[in-house]
Amino acid sequence: MPDVAVVGSGPNGLSAAVVMARAGLSVEVFEAAATIGGGTRTTELMQPDHFHDVCSAVHPMALASPFFRAFELPRRVDLLSPEVSFGSPLDGGRAALAYKSLDRTAAELGRDGAAYRRLMKPLVRHIDDVMDFTQNQLLRIPRNPLVAGVYGLRTLEQGTGMWNARFRDELAPALLSGVAAHAVSHLPSLAASGAGLMLGALGHAGGWPIPRGGSASIAEALADDIRAHGGIIHTGTPIDRLEELPASRATLLDVAPRGLLDMAGHSLPTPYRRALERFRYGNGSCKVDFILSGPVPWQAAGLSDAGTVHVGGTRAELARSENEVSAGRHPERPYVLVAQQSRFDSTRAPAGRHTLWTYCHVPSGSTRDMTSQVVAQLERFAPGFRDLVVESHAVTAAGLAEYNRNYIGGDFSAGVMDVRGLIQKPVVSPVPWRTPLLGVYLCSSSTPPGPGVTGMPGMHAARHALKDIFKLPVPDLGLS
C-alpha cells in the first residue's frame, strides 16, 4: 500500500513522483501506455534507426524551469544547444535569427535591432525573476514585482494592437510572432505575447536545447531517479476510476479536467464538478514527421544552424494563419513549427539521412491531414525540399487525441491559452492543484503554470501534498 499513487507518466506526473519519492515516501506510478513519457516520447516512427520525438522536441525551459534546475537536468541528460535558438524565414531569401547572443541578434536585425534589444534586454538580464513569475500561480505576489511589471508592460505592448509601434521593418516582428504562435491562440493576444516573450528571452539567456537521443531521455532521467529512491512505475496500466488505485494517502493525477471527471465525477462536489465541465480546451495540431535524404535546403543563410524554425512568413501572415484557426478554419498557408534535431544530434538518423519534426495548428478535433500544406510552406522557403522527402508520417488532431487522453481535440496544451484560461487552471483558486477530494491533487498542464516540459505542475502539486498530508518540506532534488 504506497504512500503516494501517481496517474500518468508525462513529465508532470514523473516530476511529482520524483519529489514525493525524494521525500522518503513510497510511490507508485500508473501509466496507461506501454512506455512512459507522455509528451516526451521518442520512437522509430517509420524506419529503423530513424528516431522521432512524438510530441515535444526542443526544450527552452529545461535549463530555466525551477524544477529542472533543482533536479540538475543538464548533469543527467546531454542537452545540445544550437547557437541559433530559433529563426523565421521571409520571402526573398531573408531570415530573422535569434542567437543565444542578444547583441548578435540585434546586430543582424537591421534598423530594428536596437528596438529589439531594448525590448528583450531586461527580460534576459532578469530571466530567473521572469521564470519565477511565469512558472507559478498568477494569483500571487511575485518575488520581484518590478521585473513582473516590466514583463507585464511588454506583454501588453506585444499582445495588443500596439505590437508594431516599436518596429519599422519585417524581421524583428516576424521573429517575435513566430515564438508567440507557440501558444495556439489568435494574434495578437496577451497570452501569446507573454508566452512568446518568455520563450524568446530564454533563447538569449541559455538557448533552446535539444536532448541527445530524443526527448525520451528526459523521461528516462526522471524515471531513473524515481526508481533509485524506491518508486515503482507500472506501464500498460490504465486507470479509469480512482477506486482502481491501491489505497494511498495521496493521489496525484497527471490528467486533464475531463480525465478527473471520468475518474471521480460521481464523488466531486457539484460546484467543482460544474467548473471542470466548463473548462475550455484549445485548438489542435496536425503533426507531420519526415525522413529526408539530406538537410533542409533553406534559402536563407543561417537557418540551417537553427534548432527551431518558425515557418510562415511575415508577422501579418502568421497572424492571418493563426486567426483562421481561431475562427475554425484550416489555413492554406499555415504556421509551421519545425525542429531539425538531426542537424545537431547524430543519433537521430543514419549517416546521410535526417529526421524532421513539424506541426501546424488546426481547429479542435480536425481529421484533416495537412501534409501537403506543410510541404508547400517548406518548399516556399527551402526550394527543393520535396525532392529530399524519403517518407512522411502525419497524425491529425483527432489522432493526437487518441494518442493521449489529455490532448482533448488534439490540444496538447490541455487548455485554452488566453487570459481567462491562464487564471482558470482549472478553477480560480489560490491552490488550483488541490481538489475537493481529500488527498487528491491535479498535476497536469491544465494546472499552473500550464503547458511545456517544465515539471512545474507536478512540483507544485507535490509541494502542497507534502505540506497538507505528510507535513514534510520539499526535499533536495539534485544529484549531490
Side-chain angles (χ1 to χ4, degrees), residues 10-17 19 61-71 128 130-137 140 143 198 222 252 254 432-433 442-464 474 477:
N12 294 318
L14 293 176
S15 67
V19 174
M61 288 180 281
L63 298 175
S65 153
F67 169 78
F68 280 127
R69 290 185 68 173
F71 187 67
D128 288 346
V130 171
M131 292 303 290
D132 171 76
F133 179 61
T134 59
Q135 297 302 297
N136 278 282
Q137 161 69 293
R140 61 185 281 274
R143 181 177 69 188
M198 182 265 290
L222 294 166
L252 290 91
D254 185 3
W433 308 274
L442 273 178
C443 64
S444 70
S445 294
S446 299
T447 65
V453 180
T454 67
M456 289 304 294
M459 186 175 190
H460 286 308
R463 175 169 60 89
H464 286 286
V474 175
L477 305 178

Side-chain angles (χ1 to χ4, degrees), residues 9 18 24 57 149 166-167 177-178 182 188-189 194 226 228 270 295 335 343 354 389 396 449 458 462:
S9 71
V18 163
R166 186 182 291 261
F167 303 112
S177 297
H182 279 242
S189 70
I226 293 166
T270 299
Y335 161 79
R343 287 278 292 117
H354 283 272
V389 176
T396 66

Side-chain angles (χ1 to χ4, degrees), residues 43-52 290-295 341-356 390-391:
T43 184
E44 293 172 296
L45 191 61
M46 289 174 270
Q47 296 184 17
D49 299 323
H50 295 74
F51 294 93
H52 306 264
F290 296 92
I291 293 176
L292 306 178
S293 60
Q341 304 99 310
S342 61
R343 287 278 292 117
F344 310 94
D345 179 3
S346 61
T347 70
R348 302 298 185 98
R353 289 285 187 89
H354 283 272
T355 56
L356 192 72
V390 175
E391 192 172 349

Side-chain angles (χ1 to χ4, degrees), residues 56 60 73 86 138 148 169 184 192 244 280 362 366 371 433 451:
S56 62
L73 184 67
F86 54 90
L138 292 181
D169 284 337
V184 200
E244 297 171 7
R280 299 170 304 134
V362 293
S366 168
T371 301
W433 308 274

Side-chain angles (χ1 to χ4, degrees), residues 203-457:
H204 300 305
W208 282 22
I210 295 166
R212 185 183 298 278
S215 292
S217 61
I218 296 177
E220 287 299 332
L222 294 166
D224 288 346
D225 196 80
I226 293 166
R227 296 186 183 106
H229 291 85
I232 299 171
I233 300 175
H234 307 276
T235 56
T237 310
I239 302 296
D240 298 315
R241 308 279 286 184
L242 288 182
E243 292 84 356
E244 297 171 7
L245 290 168
S248 62
R249 296 176 65 188
T251 301
L252 290 91
L253 304 175
D254 185 3
V255 303
R258 188 174 296 178
L260 176 56
L261 285 168
D262 292 340
M263 297 169 71
H266 58 288
S267 56
L268 294 170
T270 299
Y272 187 82
R273 186 179 70 249
R274 288 177 176 169
L276 296 188
E277 290 170 346
R278 292 192 299 268
F279 184 80
R280 299 170 304 134
Y281 299 93
N283 283 310
S285 295
C286 177
K287 186 171 184 290
V288 187
D289 288 283
F290 296 92
I291 293 176
L292 306 178
S293 60
V296 179
W298 300 108
Q299 189 175 16
L303 287 177
S304 293
D305 299 322
T308 303
V309 183
H310 302 124
V311 175
T314 64
R315 165 169 275 181
E317 288 179 293
L318 291 170
R320 186 180 308 117
S321 169
E322 292 301 277
N323 294 342
E324 283 190 74
V325 175
S326 295
R329 299 189 295 269
H330 293 80
E332 194 57 35
R333 281 190 161 188
Y335 161 79
V336 181
L337 203 156
V338 176
Q340 38 191 10
Q341 304 99 310
S342 61
R343 287 278 292 117
F344 310 94
D345 179 3
S346 61
T347 70
R348 302 298 185 98
R353 289 285 187 89
H354 283 272
T355 56
L356 192 72
W357 177 103
T358 80
Y359 73 77
C360 68
H361 298 149
V362 293
S364 177
S366 168
T367 59
R368 184 178 297 186
D369 181 342
M370 296 288 286
T371 301
S372 61
Q373 289 86 349
V374 168
V375 170
Q377 283 287 67
L378 287 165
E379 184 73 20
R380 173 184 170 191
F381 298 105
F385 172 80
R386 282 192 182 93
D387 299 332
L388 298 176
V389 176
V390 175
E391 192 172 349
S392 66
H393 179 273
V395 181
T396 66
L400 287 174
E402 292 178 6
Y403 159 74
N404 191 317
R405 297 184 188 185
N406 288 351
Y407 299 167
I408 309 298
D411 172 20
F412 51 67
S413 297
V416 168
M417 289 289 287
D418 60 14
V419 172
R420 175 184 160 194
L422 291 175
I423 295 173
Q424 293 180 325
K425 292 190 77 66
V427 295
V428 179
S429 166
V431 188
W433 308 274
R434 187 189 292 145
T435 78
L437 302 179
L438 180 63
V440 178
Y441 299 80
L442 273 178
C443 64
S444 70
S445 294
S446 299
T447 65
V453 180
T454 67
M456 289 304 294

Side-chain angles (χ1 to χ4, degrees), residues 64-149:
S65 153
F67 169 78
F68 280 127
R69 290 185 68 173
F71 187 67
E72 298 183 287
L73 184 67
R75 293 181 62 188
R76 304 168 188 260
V77 175
D78 188 5
L79 298 173
L80 309 170
S81 193
E83 280 305 309
V84 182
S85 296
F86 54 90
S88 291
L90 298 175
D91 291 320
R94 299 172 296 154
L97 303 176
Y99 296 91
K100 285 197 285 186
S101 166
L102 177 59
D103 289 339
R104 184 176 179 185
T105 303
E108 294 190 11
L109 289 177
R111 59 178 182 167
D112 280 338
Y116 181 86
R117 182 190 290 108
R118 286 193 297 270
L119 176 73
M120 300 300 294
K121 189 172 183 178
L123 307 182
V124 175
R125 179 182 295 172
H126 299 285
I127 191 63
D128 288 346
D129 291 319
V130 171
M131 292 303 290
D132 171 76
F133 179 61
T134 59
Q135 297 302 297
N136 278 282
Q137 161 69 293
L138 292 181
L139 301 178
R140 61 185 281 274
I141 299 174
R143 181 177 69 188
N144 190 327
L146 180 59
V147 170

